[in-house]
Amino acid sequence: MSLTALTKPWEAMSYGFLDGSAKRELRRKMLKSVAVPGCQMPYASREVPMARGWGTGGLQVSLTLVNPQTRVKVIDQGADDSVNAASIRRFIARVAGTPTTKDALDADLIQSRHRIPEEILREDQVLVLQVPNPEPLRPVQPNMSIARQMHADADYGRMWLQLYEQIVRSGRVMQGASYPSLVHGRHVMTPSPIPRWDVPKLHMAKHLTILSAGREKRIFAVPPFTRVEPLVFSDVPYKVEEHGALTCTRSGTTGFFMNEIPRDDGSSAFEVSDSEWGVKTIRARDGNGESRGETWYKDGEMPQ
Amino acid sequence: MTLTLDAPRIVETRPLLEVHGVSKSYGPVQAVRNVSAHAYPGEVLGIVGESGSGKSTLLRMMNLEEIPETGSYTLDLPDVSGNLFELDRFARRMLCATKIGIVYQNPHLGLLMKHSSSGNVAERLLVAGERSFATLRQAATEALDASEFPLDRLDAPPIELSGGMQQRVQLAKAIALEPALLLLDEPTTGLDVSVQALVLDTLKRLQQDRQITMVIVSHDLGVIRTLADRVMVMRRGEVVETGLADQIFQDPQHPYTQQLVHAKL
């Protein structure tokens, strides 16, 4: 037997860009993080041809999960067509040969930065969120060794101190994004910088959410049907952004998370943040029979 | 009319705090050597000694921040039992949060300098599990009021406050959960004499109102004389003399205590 018979033919790179051992490690860490919901698992974040902080954590998870049949959707701040989303989508398609889509219902794997789609995700879908700072305790405990002990002890009193301070200073909770949330009644996690609007979507969701921070080398997950409860005082209820009554100037849809567009006269216009939802609404309005899925928010309210 | 009297009996009060035979060394330095101490409920125990005599180490051990090599520590409280030095980290934290209050010499050790003063006090209650904003606010205000903190500065961060005010915030934080034991580590050192007198007044009044057991550590005999019922004199990690405050100050027995008292007077 010759040596060539034992080796694989030469390839420019392995499937999905990451080598086998990197993907194996990530799979193991994903399983671990699913087993302990909300608990941060360290992993050896590999180099990808993208700067740290641009979604390298999410990209590594996506590259590990894809196969040639996986339909991939990439979102950046709700939009599919921003530079970052387009580049990541093209990169995954190029190294893994996957079909891509912009439709949240059609996708098998959704990598997202800062938003969760407005349409309800299914059991067979995976949401990958890019996380810049995975440690919810960092603002209250700069020492990471002690923060780890605090996680182990479920010593989260100081998280409420942060909220207390915000209410005292500003009269309300000012935490706009990355709202700290208790997962499965045990670990407090930061749900990546998604707006408060999106946090209730994670609660008892049917899909699997994997959150990965490439620079900080931490991965954590919200498995399907897991409780995700934003931290609140018993007498100060959790509030989402007051976007329920706003109407999108382009598509005319009402009751979803909006982007504010300042106008020259000082007023502002609003545009639906989930761009594909806006596109679908316009198509439906024009009678192109596009199928729109069930949304989490109905009439601007999250049903309990 | 006949008067019925209880049968005569010996009143037995058990000490609230009992530290027995603790020793602690930092490398070659023996900080505390075989020290025992006790304090009865409602009593103020003063510990005096020069710098490096081990008095602060002893206090830190009473706050379970440091664990000695040998010795035992018991608190005679409901649902607290056994040698507290053997508790795990979790149980230790809950005990310290709910049963023991501490005021440090350096406010930076005890306070979050950038958070509001009321938030600092509220943190105590948050650690103990309180989750209602109104209750937290109320309790923080009450505790700060009890330590004579001006309520118009309620939400000022301690870093903007004067030294005396910072000590009052620490004190409010320490008493917020009505602890059974209050530990004071040089609470007035570094304050000028008039502010020192005010803080001591507050402490004395608190002690009279609430009958908290206190352990106060100081190198300043004036502070000890004002507050303490009983005094322990420490030197080089050992107790050289113990006795009632008056006894120690009027009739010191040990040469070192004599020196200390005369140096003061």
Side-chain angles (χ1 to χ4, degrees):
Chain A
M1 190 180 280
S2 68
L3 203 58
T4 38
L6 288 169
T7 52
K8 283 191 214 162
W10 185 86
E11 283 173 351
M13 59 167 189
S14 40
Y15 176 76
F17 190 79
L18 296 176
D19 58 67
S21 62
K23 285 197 272 198
R24 187 170 76 150
E25 193 220 354
L26 263 159
R27 278 190 206 106
R28 293 173 69 130
K29 287 294 153 68
M30 276 187 245
L31 285 174
K32 265 190 158 182
S33 59
V34 168
V36 193
C39 183
Q40 297 168 51
M41 301 294 170
Y43 71 101
S45 180
R46 301 307 207 272
E47 288 282 326
V48 284
M50 201 163 65
R52 294 274 192 235
W54 289 84
T56 51
L59 183 62
Q60 289 174 73
V61 171
S62 299
L63 292 175
T64 306
L65 289 175
V66 287
N67 64 37
Q69 281 78 49
T70 313
R71 281 184 303 279
V72 179
K73 173 182 164 75
V74 184
I75 313 170
D76 175 11
Q77 297 266 28
D80 289 88
D81 46 7
S82 73
V83 176
N84 197 12
S87 308
I88 292 176
R89 185 170 54 234
R90 200 165 54 225
F91 179 72
I92 297 174
R94 198 158 120 200
V95 298
T98 59
T100 59
T101 178
K102 288 185 176 179
D103 186 352
L105 299 179
D106 190 33
D108 298 312
L109 178 77
I110 302 172
Q111 181 179 334
S112 175
R113 167 177 178 262
H114 293 198
R115 281 309 312 277
I116 297 174
E118 297 287 4
E119 287 161 298
I120 295 176
L121 300 179
R122 297 182 311 266
E123 288 92 330
D124 59 325
Q125 292 178 305
V126 180
L127 177 69
V128 178
L129 285 168
Q130 302 167 197
V131 185
N133 184 356
E135 182 52 75
L137 290 169
R138 180 162 287 172
V140 292
Q141 177 52 264
N143 185 334
M144 286 301 105
S145 310
I146 296 178
R148 293 255 283 284
Q149 280 190 359
M150 289 166 79
H151 276 296
D153 294 351
D155 177 12
Y156 294 126
R158 281 201 180 174
M159 297 304 300
W160 275 272
L161 181 61
Q162 215 186 346
L163 302 178
Y164 176 93
E165 291 288 299
Q166 290 173 7
I167 296 178
V168 162
R169 290 222 175 115
S170 319
R172 63 185 172 91
V173 175
M174 297 297 283
Q175 187 88 31
S178 308
Y179 197 98
S181 308
L182 187 66
V183 183
H184 197 53
R186 175 61 183 82
H187 284 95
V188 168
M189 69 153 189
T190 166
S192 85
I194 57 173
R196 289 199 302 268
W197 183 270
D198 283 351
V199 178
K201 294 177 182 174
L202 290 171
H203 178 66
M204 295 310 265
K206 283 182 246 168
H207 67 275
L208 165 67
T209 308
I210 293 175
L211 302 102
S212 174
R215 184 181 48 201
E216 305 290 330
K217 305 177 175 63
R218 292 285 183 279
I219 194 166
F220 48 109
V222 179
F225 303 102
T226 304
R227 282 175 289 133
V228 176
E229 292 140 329
L231 303 186
V232 283
F233 287 110
S234 55
D235 50 352
V236 182
Y238 180 74
K239 269 193 191 147
V240 300
E241 287 82 355
E242 287 167 350
H243 289 195
L246 299 179
T247 303
C248 171
T249 48
R250 293 172 76 179
S251 65
T253 184
T254 301
F256 298 101
F257 191 75
M258 298 286 169
N259 292 337
E260 190 174 352
I261 301 162
R263 290 260 180 84
D264 288 343
D265 61 357
S267 67
S268 38
F270 294 94
E271 189 182 283
V272 70
S273 164
D274 185 347
S275 67
E276 194 53 26
W277 176 255
V279 169
K280 281 183 174 181
T281 310
I282 291 170
R283 281 192 195 138
R285 191 184 63 195
D286 296 348
N288 289 350
E290 183 79 23
S291 65
R292 288 192 295 170
E294 191 96 337
T295 53
W296 263 296
Y297 281 82
K298 291 179 178 67
D299 306 320
E301 296 268 331
M302 184 87 182
Q304 292 305 307
Chain B
M1 197 176 120
T2 51
L3 196 68
T4 50
L5 292 170
D6 289 341
R9 59 182 154 62
I10 296 166
V11 178
E12 264 187 43
T13 323
R14 294 183 31 166
L16 175 101
L17 166 150
E18 233 173 330
V19 177
H20 195 77
V22 293
S23 300
K24 170 90 185 169
S25 53
Y26 300 107
V29 184
Q30 181 93 38
V32 173
R33 187 180 297 126
N34 195 22
V35 167
S36 301
H38 60 275
Y40 286 92
E43 188 186 38
V44 182
L45 172 67
I47 304 176
V48 268
E50 58 197 2
S51 303
S53 60
K55 54 192 189 328
S56 288
T57 305
L58 184 62
L59 199 79
R60 280 205 300 276
M61 290 194 285
M62 287 179 186
N63 195 36
L64 297 172
E65 284 169 63
E66 299 210 30
I67 301 301
E69 284 111 37
T70 59
S72 69
Y73 176 22
T74 51
L75 283 179
D76 185 31
L77 292 170
D79 59 80
V80 178
S81 63
N83 182 0
L84 302 183
F85 290 138
E86 285 162 9
L87 290 180
D88 59 28
R89 189 180 71 223
F90 186 74
R92 207 160 44 193
R93 180 167 62 80
M94 281 322 285
L95 183 82
C96 288
T98 54
K99 304 276 194 264
I100 305 174
I102 187 159
V103 175
Y104 296 95
Q105 176 184 356
N106 182 352
H108 285 263
L109 284 175
L111 296 178
L112 299 160
M113 280 296 168
K114 302 273 172 72
H115 289 69
S116 66
S117 299
S118 63
N120 268 289
V121 181
E123 192 214 350
R124 264 288 158 125
L125 290 99
L126 284 166
V127 170
E130 179 57 54
R131 292 289 180 264
S132 151
F133 180 77
T135 314
L136 287 170
R137 189 86 184 141
Q138 167 109 28
T141 312
E142 275 168 15
L144 282 165
D145 195 29
S147 62
E148 288 160 5
F149 182 86
L151 292 185
D152 53 328
R153 307 292 311 273
L154 198 60
D155 297 323
I159 198 144
E160 293 173 4
L161 300 171
S162 67
M165 287 300 140
Q166 290 178 345
Q167 291 308 66
R168 286 177 197 279
V169 178
Q170 276 209 77
L171 187 60
K173 180 176 180 168
I175 60 169
L177 279 174
E178 314 236 323
L181 177 65
L182 183 59
L183 306 173
L184 306 158
D185 188 4
E186 310 254 10
T188 57
T189 309
L191 305 178
D192 69 62
V193 184
S194 57
V195 176
Q196 191 171 344
L198 289 174
V199 172
L200 286 179
D201 266 359
T202 308
L203 282 171
K204 193 139 189 89
R205 196 183 44 74
L206 266 177
Q207 212 281 326
Q208 278 165 1
D209 290 355
R210 304 198 179 192
Q211 293 293 309
I212 311 176
T213 312
M214 291 190 188
V215 178
I216 176 161
V217 158
S218 185
H219 66 268
D220 186 344
L221 287 180
V223 172
I224 299 290
R225 170 171 263 171
T226 318
L227 285 173
D229 301 322
R230 216 153 46 76
V231 177
M232 228 168 85
V233 185
M234 283 185 75
R235 192 190 191 197
R236 291 181 193 150
E238 281 172 331
V239 179
V240 295
E241 193 168 351
T242 29
L244 296 175
D246 292 345
Q247 188 187 334
I248 295 280
F249 287 114
Q250 302 303 329
D251 183 23
Q253 298 294 314
H254 191 273
Y256 175 70
T257 319
Q258 288 171 354
Q259 215 180 339
L260 208 64
V261 171
H262 289 302
K264 174 72 191 169
L265 294 176

Short mmCIF file of all heavy atoms in Angstrom, two decimals, chain B residues 149-191:
data_model
loop_
_atom_site.label_atom_id
_atom_site.label_comp_id
_atom_site.label_asym_id
_atom_site.label_seq_id
_atom_site.Cartn_x
_atom_site.Cartn_y
_atom_site.Cartn_z
N PHE B 149 -27.10 60.15 58.22
CA PHE B 149 -26.61 60.58 56.92
C PHE B 149 -27.61 61.60 56.37
O PHE B 149 -28.82 61.38 56.47
CB PHE B 149 -26.51 59.36 56.00
CG PHE B 149 -25.97 59.64 54.63
CD1 PHE B 149 -24.60 59.64 54.41
CD2 PHE B 149 -26.82 59.88 53.56
CE1 PHE B 149 -24.08 59.89 53.15
CE2 PHE B 149 -26.30 60.13 52.30
CZ PHE B 149 -24.94 60.14 52.10
N PRO B 150 -27.15 62.74 55.82
CA PRO B 150 -28.12 63.72 55.30
C PRO B 150 -28.86 63.16 54.09
O PRO B 150 -28.25 62.76 53.10
CB PRO B 150 -27.24 64.90 54.90
CG PRO B 150 -25.88 64.35 54.72
CD PRO B 150 -25.76 63.16 55.63
N LEU B 151 -30.20 63.10 54.20
CA LEU B 151 -30.97 62.38 53.19
C LEU B 151 -31.03 63.09 51.85
O LEU B 151 -31.43 62.50 50.84
CB LEU B 151 -32.37 62.08 53.71
CG LEU B 151 -32.42 61.06 54.87
CD1 LEU B 151 -33.84 60.74 55.25
CD2 LEU B 151 -31.68 59.78 54.52
N ASP B 152 -30.64 64.35 51.80
CA ASP B 152 -30.63 65.01 50.49
C ASP B 152 -29.44 64.56 49.64
O ASP B 152 -29.40 64.82 48.44
CB ASP B 152 -30.63 66.53 50.65
CG ASP B 152 -29.52 67.02 51.56
OD1 ASP B 152 -29.18 66.27 52.50
OD2 ASP B 152 -28.99 68.11 51.33
N ARG B 153 -28.49 63.87 50.26
CA ARG B 153 -27.37 63.32 49.48
C ARG B 153 -27.54 61.82 49.21
O ARG B 153 -26.59 61.15 48.85
CB ARG B 153 -26.03 63.51 50.23
CG ARG B 153 -25.73 64.91 50.68
CD ARG B 153 -25.47 65.89 49.54
NE ARG B 153 -24.51 65.46 48.51
CZ ARG B 153 -23.20 65.64 48.58
NH1 ARG B 153 -22.66 66.21 49.62
NH2 ARG B 153 -22.42 65.26 47.59
N LEU B 154 -28.77 61.36 49.37
CA LEU B 154 -29.10 59.93 49.28
C LEU B 154 -28.48 59.22 48.08
O LEU B 154 -27.95 58.12 48.19
CB LEU B 154 -30.62 59.82 49.21
CG LEU B 154 -31.29 58.51 49.52
CD1 LEU B 154 -30.97 58.07 50.93
CD2 LEU B 154 -32.80 58.67 49.38
N ASP B 155 -28.53 59.88 46.93
CA ASP B 155 -28.10 59.20 45.72
C ASP B 155 -26.75 59.70 45.21
O ASP B 155 -26.37 59.42 44.07
CB ASP B 155 -29.17 59.35 44.63
CG ASP B 155 -30.46 58.67 45.06
OD1 ASP B 155 -30.37 57.61 45.69
OD2 ASP B 155 -31.54 59.21 44.79
N ALA B 156 -26.03 60.41 46.06
CA ALA B 156 -24.69 60.84 45.66
C ALA B 156 -23.75 59.65 45.79
O ALA B 156 -23.83 58.90 46.75
CB ALA B 156 -24.24 61.98 46.55
N PRO B 157 -22.85 59.46 44.82
CA PRO B 157 -21.89 58.36 44.98
C PRO B 157 -20.88 58.68 46.08
O PRO B 157 -20.52 59.84 46.26
CB PRO B 157 -21.21 58.29 43.62
CG PRO B 157 -21.51 59.57 42.95
CD PRO B 157 -22.76 60.12 43.54
N PRO B 158 -20.45 57.69 46.85
CA PRO B 158 -19.56 57.93 47.98
C PRO B 158 -18.28 58.68 47.59
O PRO B 158 -17.70 59.38 48.41
CB PRO B 158 -19.22 56.52 48.48
CG PRO B 158 -20.35 55.69 48.04
CD PRO B 158 -20.84 56.28 46.77
N ILE B 159 -17.86 58.55 46.34
CA ILE B 159 -16.61 59.20 45.95
C ILE B 159 -16.73 60.71 46.05
O ILE B 159 -15.74 61.42 46.22
CB ILE B 159 -16.20 58.74 44.53
CG1 ILE B 159 -14.72 59.04 44.29
CG2 ILE B 159 -17.04 59.37 43.45
CD1 ILE B 159 -14.02 58.02 43.48
N GLU B 160 -17.97 61.22 45.99
CA GLU B 160 -18.16 62.67 46.08
C GLU B 160 -18.34 63.13 47.53
O GLU B 160 -18.48 64.32 47.78
CB GLU B 160 -19.41 63.08 45.29
CG GLU B 160 -19.28 62.90 43.80
CD GLU B 160 -20.58 63.16 43.06
OE1 GLU B 160 -21.56 63.56 43.72
OE2 GLU B 160 -20.61 62.94 41.85
N LEU B 161 -18.37 62.18 48.46
CA LEU B 161 -18.69 62.54 49.85
C LEU B 161 -17.42 62.72 50.67
O LEU B 161 -16.34 62.25 50.30
CB LEU B 161 -19.55 61.44 50.48
CG LEU B 161 -20.90 61.16 49.83
CD1 LEU B 161 -21.51 59.92 50.45
CD2 LEU B 161 -21.83 62.34 49.99
N SER B 162 -17.58 63.38 51.82
CA SER B 162 -16.45 63.54 52.73
C SER B 162 -16.19 62.23 53.47
O SER B 162 -17.02 61.33 53.47
CB SER B 162 -16.76 64.64 53.74
OG SER B 162 -17.81 64.21 54.58
N GLY B 163 -15.03 62.16 54.11
CA GLY B 163 -14.65 60.93 54.81
C GLY B 163 -15.66 60.52 55.87
O GLY B 163 -16.02 59.35 55.98
N GLY B 164 -16.16 61.49 56.63
CA GLY B 164 -17.13 61.18 57.68
C GLY B 164 -18.42 60.63 57.10
O GLY B 164 -18.99 59.67 57.61
N MET B 165 -18.84 61.22 55.97
CA MET B 165 -20.06 60.76 55.31
C MET B 165 -19.87 59.35 54.76
O MET B 165 -20.77 58.52 54.82
CB MET B 165 -20.43 61.71 54.17
CG MET B 165 -20.97 63.02 54.64
SD MET B 165 -22.45 62.79 55.63
CE MET B 165 -22.18 63.99 56.88
N GLN B 166 -18.68 59.09 54.21
CA GLN B 166 -18.41 57.76 53.68
C GLN B 166 -18.53 56.72 54.79
O GLN B 166 -19.09 55.64 54.59
CB GLN B 166 -17.02 57.71 53.05
CG GLN B 166 -16.92 58.51 51.77
CD GLN B 166 -15.53 58.50 51.19
OE1 GLN B 166 -14.56 58.15 51.85
NE2 GLN B 166 -15.42 58.93 49.95
N GLN B 167 -18.01 57.07 55.98
CA GLN B 167 -18.11 56.13 57.10
C GLN B 167 -19.56 55.91 57.49
O GLN B 167 -19.96 54.82 57.85
CB GLN B 167 -17.30 56.62 58.31
CG GLN B 167 -15.80 56.59 58.10
CD GLN B 167 -15.27 55.26 57.63
OE1 GLN B 167 -15.55 54.82 56.53
NE2 GLN B 167 -14.49 54.58 58.46
N ARG B 168 -20.37 56.95 57.38
CA ARG B 168 -21.80 56.80 57.70
C ARG B 168 -22.49 55.89 56.68
O ARG B 168 -23.37 55.12 57.05
CB ARG B 168 -22.49 58.16 57.72
CG ARG B 168 -22.13 58.95 58.96
CD ARG B 168 -22.75 60.32 58.92
NE ARG B 168 -22.11 61.19 59.89
CZ ARG B 168 -22.40 61.19 61.17
NH1 ARG B 168 -23.34 60.39 61.63
NH2 ARG B 168 -21.77 61.98 62.00
N VAL B 169 -22.08 56.00 55.42
CA VAL B 169 -22.66 55.10 54.41
C VAL B 169 -22.28 53.66 54.74
O VAL B 169 -23.11 52.74 54.70
CB VAL B 169 -22.20 55.47 52.98
CG1 VAL B 169 -22.77 54.48 51.97
CG2 VAL B 169 -22.62 56.87 52.62
N GLN B 170 -21.01 53.47 55.08
CA GLN B 170 -20.57 52.12 55.45
C GLN B 170 -21.37 51.59 56.63
O GLN B 170 -21.75 50.43 56.67
CB GLN B 170 -19.09 52.15 55.86
CG GLN B 170 -18.12 52.08 54.74
CD GLN B 170 -16.83 51.42 55.21
OE1 GLN B 170 -16.75 50.22 55.36
NE2 GLN B 170 -15.84 52.23 55.48
N LEU B 171 -21.58 52.48 57.60
CA LEU B 171 -22.31 52.09 58.79
C LEU B 171 -23.75 51.73 58.43
O LEU B 171 -24.28 50.69 58.88
CB LEU B 171 -22.27 53.24 59.80
CG LEU B 171 -22.82 52.97 61.18
CD1 LEU B 171 -22.07 51.83 61.84
CD2 LEU B 171 -22.72 54.22 62.04
N ALA B 172 -24.37 52.55 57.59
CA ALA B 172 -25.75 52.27 57.16
C ALA B 172 -25.82 50.93 56.46
O ALA B 172 -26.74 50.13 56.68
CB ALA B 172 -26.23 53.38 56.23
N LYS B 173 -24.83 50.67 55.60
CA LYS B 173 -24.78 49.40 54.88
C LYS B 173 -24.65 48.24 55.88
O LYS B 173 -25.32 47.22 55.75
CB LYS B 173 -23.59 49.44 53.93
CG LYS B 173 -23.42 48.21 53.11
CD LYS B 173 -22.28 48.39 52.13
CE LYS B 173 -22.12 47.13 51.32
NZ LYS B 173 -21.24 47.31 50.19
N ALA B 174 -23.81 48.44 56.90
CA ALA B 174 -23.57 47.38 57.87
C ALA B 174 -24.82 47.07 58.70
O ALA B 174 -25.08 45.92 59.04
CB ALA B 174 -22.42 47.76 58.79
N ILE B 175 -25.62 48.11 59.01
CA ILE B 175 -26.77 47.87 59.89
C ILE B 175 -28.07 47.65 59.12
O ILE B 175 -29.11 47.38 59.72
CB ILE B 175 -26.99 49.03 60.89
CG1 ILE B 175 -27.24 50.34 60.15
CG2 ILE B 175 -25.82 49.14 61.84
CD1 ILE B 175 -27.73 51.46 61.04
N ALA B 176 -28.00 47.70 57.76
CA ALA B 176 -29.24 47.65 56.97
C ALA B 176 -30.04 46.39 57.24
O ALA B 176 -31.26 46.42 57.25
CB ALA B 176 -28.90 47.75 55.49
N LEU B 177 -29.38 45.28 57.47
CA LEU B 177 -30.10 44.02 57.68
C LEU B 177 -30.21 43.67 59.16
O LEU B 177 -30.47 42.53 59.51
CB LEU B 177 -29.41 42.88 56.93
CG LEU B 177 -29.75 42.78 55.45
CD1 LEU B 177 -28.91 41.72 54.80
CD2 LEU B 177 -31.21 42.48 55.25
N GLU B 178 -30.01 44.68 60.03
CA GLU B 178 -30.06 44.46 61.46
C GLU B 178 -29.20 43.27 61.87
O GLU B 178 -29.73 42.26 62.38
CB GLU B 178 -31.51 44.24 61.92
CG GLU B 178 -32.45 45.25 61.33
CD GLU B 178 -33.23 46.00 62.39
OE1 GLU B 178 -33.60 45.37 63.39
OE2 GLU B 178 -33.44 47.21 62.23
N PRO B 179 -27.90 43.35 61.67
CA PRO B 179 -27.05 42.20 61.98
C PRO B 179 -26.95 41.98 63.48
O PRO B 179 -27.21 42.89 64.28
CB PRO B 179 -25.69 42.62 61.41
CG PRO B 179 -25.69 44.10 61.52
CD PRO B 179 -27.11 44.54 61.29
N ALA B 180 -26.62 40.76 63.86
CA ALA B 180 -26.45 40.46 65.27
C ALA B 180 -25.09 40.96 65.74
O ALA B 180 -24.89 41.21 66.92
CB ALA B 180 -26.55 38.96 65.48
N LEU B 181 -24.16 41.08 64.82
CA LEU B 181 -22.80 41.43 65.18
C LEU B 181 -22.31 42.53 64.25
O LEU B 181 -22.46 42.45 63.04
CB LEU B 181 -21.90 40.18 65.03
CG LEU B 181 -20.42 40.35 65.29
CD1 LEU B 181 -20.15 40.71 66.73
CD2 LEU B 181 -19.68 39.07 64.92
N LEU B 182 -21.74 43.58 64.85
CA LEU B 182 -21.20 44.67 64.05
C LEU B 182 -19.71 44.77 64.32
O LEU B 182 -19.28 44.89 65.47
CB LEU B 182 -21.92 45.98 64.43
CG LEU B 182 -21.54 47.24 63.65
CD1 LEU B 182 -21.80 47.07 62.17
CD2 LEU B 182 -22.33 48.43 64.17
N LEU B 183 -18.93 44.69 63.26
CA LEU B 183 -17.48 44.77 63.39
C LEU B 183 -17.01 46.12 62.89
O LEU B 183 -17.41 46.56 61.81
CB LEU B 183 -16.82 43.65 62.57
CG LEU B 183 -17.29 42.23 62.85
CD1 LEU B 183 -16.68 41.26 61.86
CD2 LEU B 183 -16.93 41.82 64.26
N LEU B 184 -16.19 46.77 63.67
CA LEU B 184 -15.71 48.10 63.28
C LEU B 184 -14.19 48.08 63.27
O LEU B 184 -13.56 47.83 64.29
CB LEU B 184 -16.20 49.16 64.28
CG LEU B 184 -17.71 49.21 64.51
CD1 LEU B 184 -18.03 49.86 65.84
CD2 LEU B 184 -18.39 49.98 63.40
N ASP B 185 -13.61 48.33 62.11
CA ASP B 185 -12.16 48.31 61.98
C ASP B 185 -11.67 49.75 61.87
O ASP B 185 -11.80 50.36 60.81
CB ASP B 185 -11.77 47.51 60.73
CG ASP B 185 -10.28 47.30 60.65
OD1 ASP B 185 -9.57 47.70 61.59
OD2 ASP B 185 -9.82 46.74 59.63
N GLU B 186 -11.16 50.28 62.94
CA GLU B 186 -10.67 51.67 62.97
C GLU B 186 -11.67 52.61 62.29
O GLU B 186 -11.32 53.30 61.33
CB GLU B 186 -9.33 51.76 62.24
CG GLU B 186 -8.31 50.73 62.70
CD GLU B 186 -7.22 51.34 63.57
OE1 GLU B 186 -7.36 52.52 63.96
OE2 GLU B 186 -6.26 50.63 63.87
N PRO B 187 -12.92 52.67 62.78
CA PRO B 187 -13.94 53.39 62.01
C PRO B 187 -13.70 54.89 61.94
O PRO B 187 -14.24 55.54 61.05
CB PRO B 187 -15.24 53.10 62.78
CG PRO B 187 -14.79 52.77 64.15
CD PRO B 187 -13.45 52.13 64.03
N THR B 188 -12.92 55.43 62.85
CA THR B 188 -12.79 56.89 62.85
C THR B 188 -11.37 57.35 62.55
O THR B 188 -11.10 58.54 62.55
CB THR B 188 -13.20 57.48 64.21
OG1 THR B 188 -12.39 56.87 65.22
CG2 THR B 188 -14.65 57.20 64.51
N THR B 189 -10.47 56.41 62.28
CA THR B 189 -9.11 56.81 61.96
C THR B 189 -9.10 57.57 60.64
O THR B 189 -9.76 57.17 59.69
CB THR B 189 -8.21 55.57 61.86
OG1 THR B 189 -8.41 54.81 63.03
CG2 THR B 189 -6.76 55.94 61.74
N GLY B 190 -8.38 58.66 60.60
CA GLY B 190 -8.30 59.42 59.37
C GLY B 190 -9.34 60.52 59.29
O GLY B 190 -9.34 61.29 58.34
N LEU B 191 -10.24 60.58 60.27
CA LEU B 191 -11.21 61.68 60.30
C LEU B 191 -10.71 62.73 61.27
O LEU B 191 -10.02 62.42 62.24
CB LEU B 191 -12.58 61.16 60.76
CG LEU B 191 -13.18 60.01 59.98
CD1 LEU B 191 -14.50 59.60 60.60
CD2 LEU B 191 -13.38 60.41 58.54
#
